[in-house]
Amino acid sequence: MKKKLDVVSTSKPSRAEAERAVKTLIEYIGEDPEREGVRETPKRVVKAFDEYFKGYGLDAGEILAKTFSEVGDYDGPVLVKNISVESRCEHHLAPFVGHAHIAYVPDGRVVGLSKLSRLVGVYANRMQTQERLTAEIAGALEKHLKPKGVAVMIEAEHFCMKLRGVDEDHAVTVTTRFGGVYKKDADARESFLKMVKD
Ligand SMILES: [Zn+2]
C-alpha cells in the first residue's frame, strides 16, 4: 500500500511541493516570502490554481449524458448566447475572458440549457488556446449529443496581449467552429451569425 502511494506522489507533485514552487517564484522576483502580506500567498495561489484548472477533473460526457427527447414539433436550432468564458492561455497563464455563443440543431435530443455553460467550463478551466477551446466545445457536443449541426463562436480579450507591451489593449479575438449542417450550409451559418449579432 505504501509503495502505491509513493508512485502516486512521484507522478503528481504534492500540495506542499506546489506551494514551495510558488514561494520560489516569489523569491525569484526579489520579494521577501516571509513578509506578512506574502507569507500565505503560496497557499492562496495553489488554491486559486485548483479553481482555475478544475476542468481537468471534469468530464464533458457526464455533463451531456442527460438528454431530453420531448421537444414537441420544434425543429430549429438552439442557440445560447453570451456564455461567460474565463480561461488561461497556455503560453503565459494569463487570463483570456469573453463570451461564447453555442448553437446546435437537435437530432431529436436536447440538453438542459445550463449544461452548455458547464460544458464551456470543462474546457475553459484548463491551460488553453482560444482556438482549441472553440474546437473542443464543438467536438464534445458532436460526440456526446450527435446533433445535426453545431456552431461555436468565442469572442475574447487576451490579457497577455493587453499587459505584455503589445499595443493592442482592446483587441478582441474571434474564433468559430462549424460542424454538420453549419459546415455544409452557408445559409445556416449566416443565420447563426445574424442571431449572435442581434
Ligand atoms: Zn498568452
Side-chain angles (χ1 to χ4, degrees):
M1 190 63 197
K2 185 158 193 309
K3 200 163 189 203
K4 204 175 172 190
L5 284 174
D6 285 344
V7 170
V8 171
S9 72
T10 52
S11 63
K12 185 179 174 183
S14 69
R15 197 166 191 88
E17 286 171 306
E19 288 170 5
R20 176 63 232 181
V22 176
K23 191 178 176 192
T24 300
L25 286 173
I26 292 170
E27 288 164 340
Y28 172 73
I29 61 171
E31 253 296 354
D32 170 13
E34 301 304 334
R35 194 159 65 72
E36 192 191 8
V38 180
R39 209 181 300 141
E40 297 294 311
T41 297
K43 266 192 173 55
R44 286 188 290 257
V45 169
V46 170
K47 204 173 164 202
F49 263 51
D50 287 340
E51 188 64 23
Y52 299 158
F53 299 113
K54 64 186 174 198
Y56 291 107
L58 299 173
D59 179 49
E62 257 171 54
I63 287 168
L64 298 175
K66 191 168 161 55
T67 59
F68 304 93
S69 55
E70 288 186 5
V71 291
D73 291 334
Y74 189 78
D75 64 352
V78 177
L79 167 67
V80 180
K81 295 203 284 190
N82 300 322
I83 297 169
S84 288
V85 171
E86 191 190 316
S87 188
R88 269 149 192 91
C89 81
E90 66 184 19
H91 305 121
H92 309 96
L93 292 178
F96 63 94
V97 297
H99 293 95
H101 316 295
I102 303 177
Y104 66 96
V105 180
D107 190 8
R109 295 191 307 157
V110 297
V111 284
L113 298 176
S114 67
K115 299 294 173 66
L116 296 182
S117 72
R118 286 181 60 199
L119 177 65
V120 169
V122 170
Y123 297 109
N125 291 304
R126 299 182 185 195
M127 289 173 69
Q128 272 295 6
T129 66
Q130 185 176 328
E131 294 87 338
R132 192 197 304 119
L133 176 59
T134 309
E136 284 181 339
I137 292 166
L141 278 168
E142 282 174 339
K143 181 177 175 195
H144 299 291
L145 192 60
K146 298 182 173 59
K148 289 176 184 163
V150 60
V152 178
M153 176 189 281
I154 296 178
E155 303 175 283
E157 293 188 63
H158 290 247
F159 282 64
C160 56
M161 276 176 82
K162 284 172 170 301
L163 301 178
R164 292 175 55 257
V166 184
D167 194 17
E168 290 294 349
D169 54 346
H170 295 292
V172 175
T173 303
V174 182
T175 46
T176 55
R177 173 83 165 208
F178 299 107
V181 292
Y182 286 107
K183 192 166 189 166
K184 284 181 228 137
D185 182 354
D187 288 345
R189 275 199 303 280
E190 199 72 14
S191 144
F192 167 76
L193 296 170
K194 192 173 178 315
M195 283 167 79
V196 165
K197 275 187 208 146
D198 283 350

